């Protein structure tokens, strides 16, 4: 049993297509995924706007709300909540050079239209969380836009979302690069600064993804801790990543076990989840994974989270205190290795 409630996005179960090759698995219908997620013990689903309402660009505002209401009925049928809605701003021809900080006014208006529709969908699905992953917000060519202007554009865009809906909470998912070269908002520190600069910092927080922290050269457990210290860790995307390269979204803990342990430990020490927060997974199956194993990476990640919860629950804080008093960090480190690996 876990102390956490878990959430997952439908994109976690995917066909295996990547930039270099086509699908290696069959597509699974959305309702089948929801049913399976609920059987696996997830309590909430994360949505992109067009996961929730496909083809929303072709619909008017009322039609979009009506489609979202139908989705809510489907979620209710499986006793699943919606955790958040995120505008998928990186796929559209309007956003090839970014959305909120595109140099084209028409593209910026399009991005804001999608953000507002995402808020409408969130309202219909019964969640107050809008996640923004700023995929293409930054520069491909360093001289193509001023980073000062781009940063202020982002703040103003968030202000407009906050003004549009007095209850919505904007949750930024920072990432230093990919697909954009130089991101404007790469770490939790950036998220806190952006939050503080908006008209309502109490409604702007963060979503820490383990892989994104590693891509920034940081330890995800410290990024989590930093956001927790600011009371701004409103969701997480647990996964793993082998060093600073393309975003891999590996199963949680399979590359960096000690960092994974420390992520769970810091979440537990700070009672993460006590205000209704979910532990979200953002993991991808490998290209070689078969159709039958389409959900294996999620099952594995859940098992690893739970195993690390057990390890963290056994962490001996008295021993740690003694080690710290004596500055015996060699001893403390080996204690952790023993806890994780059974070696003394
Ligand atoms: C990319 C991501 C995204 C976001 C998702 C929700 C596909 O690196 O992590 O997952 O998490 O779009 O904002
Ligand atoms: Mg990612
Ligand atoms: Mg993510």
């Amino acid at each position: 049993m876990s102390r956490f409630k878990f959430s997952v996005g439908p994109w976690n179960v995917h066909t295996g297509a990547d930039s270099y090759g086509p699908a290696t698995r069959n597509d699974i219908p959305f309702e089948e995924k929801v049913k399976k997620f609920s059987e696996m013990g997830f309590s909430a689903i994360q949505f992109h706007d067009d996961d929730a309402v496909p083809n929303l660009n072709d619909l008017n505002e009322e039609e979009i709300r009506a489609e979202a209401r139908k989705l809510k009925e489907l979620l209710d049928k499986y006793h699943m909540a919606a955790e958040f809605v995120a505008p998928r701003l990186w796929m559209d021809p309007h956003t090839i050079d970014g959305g909120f900080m595109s140099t084209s006014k028409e593209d910026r208006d399009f991005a804001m239209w999608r953000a507002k529709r995402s808020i409408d969908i969130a309202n219909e699905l019964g969640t107050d969380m809008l996640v923004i992953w700023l995929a293409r917000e930054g520069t491909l060519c360093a001289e193509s836009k001023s980073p000062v202007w781009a940063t202020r554009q982002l703040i103003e865009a968030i202000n407009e979302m906050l003004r549009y809906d007095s209850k919505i909470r904007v949750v930024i998912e920072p990432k230093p690069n990919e697909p954009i070269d130089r991101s404007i908002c790469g770490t939790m520190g950036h998220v806190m600064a952006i939050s503080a600069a908006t008209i309502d910092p109490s409604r702007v927080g963060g979503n820490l993804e383990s892989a994104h922290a590693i891509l920034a050269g940081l330890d995800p457990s410290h990024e989590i801790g930093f956001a927790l210290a600011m009371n701004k860790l409103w969701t997480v995307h647990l996964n793993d990543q082998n060093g600073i390269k393309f975003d891999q979204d590996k199963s949680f803990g399979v590359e960096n076990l000690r960092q994974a342990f420390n992520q769970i430990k810091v979440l537990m020490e700070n009672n993460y989840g006590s205000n209704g927060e979910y532990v979200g997974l953002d993991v991808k199956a490998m290209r070689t994974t078969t159709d039958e194993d389409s959900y294996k990476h999620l099952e594995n990640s859940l098992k690893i989270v739970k195993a690390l919860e057990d390890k963290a629950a056994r962490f001996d804080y008295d021993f740690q205190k003694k080690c710290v008093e004596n500055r015996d960090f060699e001893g403390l480190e080996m204690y952790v290795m023993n806890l994780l690996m059974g070696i003394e």
Side-chain angles (χ1 to χ4, degrees), residues 11 46 133 173 207-209 212 237 239 247 249 281-282:
W11 63 86
Q46 311 175 344
W133 168 47
E173 183 177 337
N207 172 12
L208 193 278
E209 173 163 321
H212 297 181
H237 268 173
N239 60 14
D247 188 3
D249 298 328
L281 297 180
D282 197 359

Side-chain angles (χ1 to χ4, degrees), residues 75-91:
L75 292 178
D76 288 348
K77 182 172 148 195
Y78 294 98
H79 308 290
M80 287 293 237
E83 186 194 9
F84 67 66
V85 180
R88 198 194 309 253
L89 284 179
W90 51 94
M91 288 285 194

